[in-house]
């Protein structure tokens, strides 16, 4: 639990000023609690993170040696201190909320993320009135190659102001809507924490370079919502560097999150503007019970879609957006990581309608080893790129993982019955045609 709180915050007693969602809580110090479909790493020390990196390097080598165009999955919680991920996530979320607060004041509340554009002059006046920056100071912010020349600022322009290349003259203060007071956006990092931030980027760089050398694509798994903004931001930074000619780095989007569509569309628009390949894995999500319990207990908005049907709608909406991009630009690729037959059928139908051929290798499918073979094998036989996600490790570690998967997939026995029915149907077909062993 202590690894979730920065050294500076402990010294300054500033944890109460944190957003509730990004505050450490004793009852949720164990990230396994309520998690039914994923493994969460625990931070021990920098040496342990380096050991995890070495393990991931061996995974990349194994993937390269076992199949062409393989994938290797990694988790950022294995490579970074949770405190860094939580603290950085809070900064990113507060900065985005401030953008939407300014948008609401300009009469743009409720617009789609890419349609929300702030008028620079009005924004500069608002910043000056709030005491955040003088007009002269803010004019320096909204110039440069990364910002729009149209006299407006959208969310991508806004986010670029947090880039390390942007040198703000003093610590950035933003208004706290609850207290009405100005508070620093950027939490103070100790010297050691600054080094930890650099080390996680270095580890990601080492992994990405090895993956490029070996012809393996690197999938960065999604994790809890209070880690995820930082994980996605680090992943996008890697994509900007390594996805110039082909998609090496894949980001993962959890479609049970209310913000999933905004996250997908925002990152894809950034890839269009900067000319790199957008690689994504779409999943429904594995932390639902824990996320909901934590939100209710700590008093912040539940980040999860209210129903399974809403999550399905979100998945298909995000998937359709990516498929449209593949049709138009060929600079996007997606792994449909799903055991849901309806989702697979939806994907196949939309691929036919959009003229996306399996041989294009822009759309691939993924299921867990040992699950839903009635989906995996026909896809492979029909020429679609399809992958099995392989958990591995000592028996005492792998069995709990598999039991969590069985718990997550409450329809597991129904699917087993369906597999049995399909097998029996095939046996009868062969008996009737006299081709039992063909």
């Amino acid at each position: 639990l202590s690894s979730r709180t920065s050294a500076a915050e402990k010294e300054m007693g500033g944890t109460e000023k944190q957003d509730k969602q990004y505050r450490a809580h004793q009852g949720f110090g164990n990230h396994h609690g309520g998690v039914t479909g994923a493994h969460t790493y625990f931070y021990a020390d920098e040496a342990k993170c380096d050991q995890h990196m070495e393990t991931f390097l061996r995974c990349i080598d194994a993937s390269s040696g076992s199949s062409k165009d393989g994938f290797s999955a990694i988790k950022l919680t294995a490579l970074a201190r949770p405190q860094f991920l939580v603290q950085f996530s809070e900064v990113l979320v507060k900065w985005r909320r401030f953008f939407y607060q300014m948008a609401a004041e300009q009469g743009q509340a409720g617009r789609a993320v890419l349609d929300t554009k702030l008028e620079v002059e009005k924004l500069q006046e608002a910043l000056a009135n709030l005491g955040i920056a003088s007009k002269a100071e803010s004019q320096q912010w909204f110039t440069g190659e990364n910002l729009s020349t149209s006299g407006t600022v959208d969310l991508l322009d806004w986010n670029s102001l947090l880039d390390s290349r942007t040198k703000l003259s003093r610590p950035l203060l933003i208004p706290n809507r609850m207290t009405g007071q100005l508070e620093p956006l950027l939490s103070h990092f100790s010297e050691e924490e600054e080094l930890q931030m650099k080390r996680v980027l270095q580890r990601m760089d080492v992994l990405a370079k090895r993956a490029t050398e070996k012809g393996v694509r690197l999938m960065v798994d999604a994790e809890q919502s209070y880690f995820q903004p930082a994980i996605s931001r680090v992943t996008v930074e890697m994509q900007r560097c390594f996805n110039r000619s082909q998609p090496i780095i894949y980001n993962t989007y959890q479609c049970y999150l209310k913000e999933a569509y905004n996250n997908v569309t925002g990152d894809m628009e950034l890839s269009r503007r900067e000319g790199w390949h957008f690689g994504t894995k779409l999943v429904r999500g594995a932390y639902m019970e824990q996320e909901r319990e934590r939100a209710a207990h700590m008093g912040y908005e539940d980040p999860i879609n209210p129903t399974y049907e809403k999550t399905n709608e979100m998945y298909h909406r995000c998937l359709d957006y990516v498929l449209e991009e593949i049709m138009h630009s060929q600079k996007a690729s997606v792994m449909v990581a799903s055991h849901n037959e309806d989702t697979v059928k939806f994907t196949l139908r939309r691929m036919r309608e959009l003229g996306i051929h399996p041989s294009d290798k822009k759309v691939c499918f993924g299921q867990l080893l040992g699950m839903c073979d009635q989906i995996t094998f026909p896809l492979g036989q029909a020429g679609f790129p399809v992958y099995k996600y392989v958990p591995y490790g000592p028996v005492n570690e792998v069995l709990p993982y598999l039991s969590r998967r069985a718990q997550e997939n409450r329809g597991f026995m129904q699917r087993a019955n369906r597999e049995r029915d399909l097998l029996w149907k095939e046996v009868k077909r062969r008996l009737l045609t006299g081709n039992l062993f063909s």
Side-chain angles (χ1 to χ4, degrees), residues 244-433:
R244 287 293 167 184
S245 59
Q246 58 181 319
I248 296 293
I249 311 297
Y250 277 59
N251 206 349
T252 301
Y253 297 89
Q254 299 160 304
C255 294
Y256 68 3
L257 292 178
K258 296 173 182 175
E259 289 294 314
Y261 185 75
N262 286 342
N263 293 336
V264 169
T265 55
D267 289 347
M268 186 176 288
E269 175 60 22
L270 183 64
S271 74
R272 290 191 195 109
R273 293 183 188 182
E274 297 182 343
W276 44 269
H277 288 253
F278 181 81
T280 179
K281 179 178 72 168
L282 294 179
V283 300
R284 279 173 170 77
Y287 305 93
M288 183 177 71
E289 292 179 10
Q290 185 195 70
E291 292 277 17
R292 284 189 166 155
E293 182 183 354
R294 191 176 187 273
H297 190 84
M298 296 179 67
Y300 59 87
E301 183 184 352
D302 184 356
I304 307 295
N305 285 316
T307 65
Y308 183 75
E309 290 72 25
K310 288 292 183 183
T311 293
N312 276 347
E313 289 176 16
M314 181 69 78
Y315 195 108
H316 291 178
R317 187 183 182 198
C318 292
L319 176 56
D320 201 47
Y321 190 85
V322 179
L323 293 175
E324 291 271 2
E325 181 68 14
I326 292 171
M327 180 193 69
H328 290 301
S329 76
Q330 292 290 304
K331 276 200 164 187
S333 299
V334 60
M335 171 178 273
V336 181
S338 176
H339 297 129
N340 188 296
E341 290 186 21
D342 290 336
T343 292
V344 173
K345 291 175 181 176
F346 173 85
T347 308
L348 299 179
R349 176 174 60 80
R350 290 298 289 143
M351 287 179 69
R352 285 195 301 270
E353 292 170 352
L354 296 171
I356 302 170
H357 195 270
S359 62
D360 296 338
K361 295 186 177 180
K362 294 294 182 180
V363 181
C364 63
F365 297 85
Q367 289 88 42
L368 279 166
L369 181 66
M371 289 184 67
C372 292
D373 289 345
Q374 82 275 10
I375 293 176
T376 309
F377 293 148
L379 285 172
Q381 290 164 354
F384 291 90
V386 60
Y387 296 84
K388 282 298 195 184
Y389 194 100
V390 184
Y392 72 94
V395 172
N396 63 328
E397 291 185 17
V398 174
L399 283 179
Y401 171 90
L402 295 175
S403 68
R404 287 197 300 273
R405 283 297 183 183
Q407 183 183 351
E408 175 196 19
N409 290 277
R410 290 184 173 87
F412 179 78
M413 292 309 297
Q414 292 177 349
R415 273 191 285 273
N417 290 337
R418 173 156 174 71
E419 289 192 45
R420 182 197 62 194
D421 293 341
L422 288 170
L423 288 169
W424 178 237
K425 183 178 179 180
E426 178 63 12
V427 168
K428 289 192 290 186
R429 186 192 70 79
R430 294 189 183 192
L431 284 171
L432 291 171
T433 58

Side-chain angles (χ1 to χ4, degrees), residues 158-173:
W158 183 256
N159 286 339
S160 72
L161 295 173
L162 279 182
D163 194 291
S164 59
R165 290 169 292 182
T166 301
K167 297 179 181 178
L168 301 178
S169 59
R170 59 190 172 92
L172 186 58
L173 301 175

Side-chain angles (χ1 to χ4, degrees), residues 17 33-34 39 57 88 92 112 142 156 163 183 189 212 220 224-225 242 254 259 285 288 300 311 365 372 425:
K17 291 183 180 180
H39 181 78
L57 287 171
F88 190 28
L92 295 170
F142 302 111
L156 299 183
D163 194 291
E183 294 179 356
F189 280 96
T212 302
V220 182
Q224 285 93 341
S225 63
F242 291 93
Q254 299 160 304
E259 289 294 314
M288 183 177 71
Y300 59 87
T311 293
F365 297 85
C372 292
K425 183 178 179 180

Side-chain angles (χ1 to χ4, degrees), residues 48-106:
K48 192 68 176 176
C49 290
D50 288 335
Q51 289 175 20
H52 290 150
M53 182 187 72
E54 292 298 327
T55 300
F56 288 147
L57 287 171
R58 291 197 294 274
C59 289
I60 292 169
D61 293 342
S63 181
S64 174
S66 62
S67 65
K68 185 181 178 182
D69 297 326
F71 285 94
S72 186
I74 65 171
K75 288 208 168 201
L76 217 62
T77 53
L79 302 171
R81 192 173 184 221
Q83 175 275 325
F84 158 65
L85 295 175
V86 172
Q87 196 172 4
F88 190 28
S89 291
E90 183 184 26
V91 167
L92 295 170
V93 169
K94 280 185 175 180
W95 187 240
R96 187 170 62 213
R97 285 178 186 165
F98 185 33
F99 173 83
Y100 286 122
Q101 182 182 342
M102 295 293 100
E105 292 180 5
Q106 290 193 17

